[in-house]
Amino acid sequence: VAGSAGTRADIRYIYINGGPINGWKSWDPDRAVSFAKESLALGLIPFFVFYNIPDGGESYYTDLEHVQSADYMAAYYANLATFLAETTSVMQGELYGVILEPDFLGYMQQNSGLAPSAIATADGRLTHTVKRINTTIRANGGNVLLGWQLNLWASPTATGAKGVMRRTDDDDQGWTVGRATIVAAAREIADYAVAAGILEGGADFVSIDKYGLDAGISSPDNPAASTWFW
């Protein structure tokens, strides 16, 4: 209808998650294929959030254990290859997107105390793992846009009690100091991600986790008092 707002979309997304062993492929073998086919039929660009470094649960310790396990990461890359083969077969040259591993780099930055090049993984270092994921998708993904999701809570120093976006609150740092903290946090998070190798292999974009926590669980009836929610 001419003039209607909010009635059209170009992109829709789905999570491809749960890990390479007992995850998405065991829940619904056609999860990626069906989503791609339905997106084409609707004239929409499908985006897939590939989220398989964690499996049944996710945390810094879970993610670190998995990326340091040769067996787990062998299963991960096999799972990624299956996803790419199935998706490119359906898409037949049409554009689609892959958003990579929400929370993973955020956990590494927030909790490890190490530069990405100092974190050991089954591929050698964290930088090698990130690059291998990117180059695998770029080499085998067909007409694909790929990028990593970053997290506003990733900074170990700038986050504050209610999240970095609320550092400007009057009961925190206030407008002037808080804005400077937010700028510093953005630079810190971006620098860490670049150092981890997110631009290697021809990545196209970054995705930002807007809140930093599942915000609705915290004082949903009083956003002004809520932790993280803004």
Side-chain angles (χ1 to χ4, degrees):
V1 178
S4 296
T7 59
R8 298 172 184 169
D10 296 313
I11 294 170
R12 67 178 194 149
Y13 75 93
I14 192 172
Y15 270 67
I16 302 296
N17 63 310
I21 299 167
N22 297 308
W24 65 278
K25 197 63 178 170
S26 64
W27 307 334
D28 178 2
D30 295 323
R31 184 173 179 84
V33 167
S34 296
F35 192 78
K37 286 181 177 178
E38 292 162 4
S39 298
L40 286 175
L42 292 167
L44 295 171
I45 302 170
F47 267 65
F48 301 89
V49 184
F50 197 81
Y51 190 20
N52 290 289
I53 287 176
D55 47 13
E58 47 93 13
S59 70
Y60 165 69
Y61 300 101
T62 297
D63 286 5
L64 186 62
E65 178 183 354
H66 286 175
V67 295
Q68 291 181 339
S69 166
D71 289 343
Y72 189 92
M73 291 309 293
Y76 177 94
Y77 291 118
N79 187 259
L80 178 58
T82 295
F83 161 73
L84 293 171
E86 292 181 349
T87 305
T88 55
S89 177
V90 173
M91 295 305 295
Q92 298 184 54
E94 293 292 330
L95 181 67
Y96 72 100
V98 178
I99 299 171
L100 288 162
E101 298 301 340
D103 305 330
F104 172 57
L105 293 179
Y107 280 135
M108 296 301 108
Q109 180 178 0
Q110 184 189 58
N111 295 285
S112 71
L114 297 172
S117 60
I119 298 175
T121 71
D123 298 303
R125 299 291 174 178
L126 177 60
T127 49
H128 301 132
T129 297
V130 171
K131 182 177 181 179
R132 182 175 176 183
I133 292 170
N134 279 4
T135 55
T136 297
I137 296 171
R138 181 58 68 209
N140 301 283
N143 188 12
V144 60
L145 296 172
L146 69 98
W148 286 75
Q149 180 166 314
L150 309 183
N151 305 90
L152 296 186
W153 47 261
S155 168
T157 59
T159 297
K162 293 189 291 185
V164 68
M165 299 308 296
R166 298 198 65 176
R167 299 315 304 263
T168 54
D169 284 9
D170 290 339
D171 61 355
D172 194 346
Q173 293 185 336
W175 184 253
T176 301
V177 175
R179 278 174 60 87
T181 297
I182 291 168
V183 169
R187 289 174 174 157
E188 182 184 350
I189 293 166
D191 287 346
Y192 188 92
V194 170
I198 64 166
L199 302 181
E200 298 290 335
D204 300 292
F205 64 88
V206 294
S207 172
I208 303 295
D209 182 345
K210 187 166 76 168
Y211 295 118
L213 194 68
D214 294 326
I217 66 172
S218 177
S219 303
D221 298 323
N222 183 14
S226 175
T227 303
W228 299 92
F229 190 76
W230 51 281

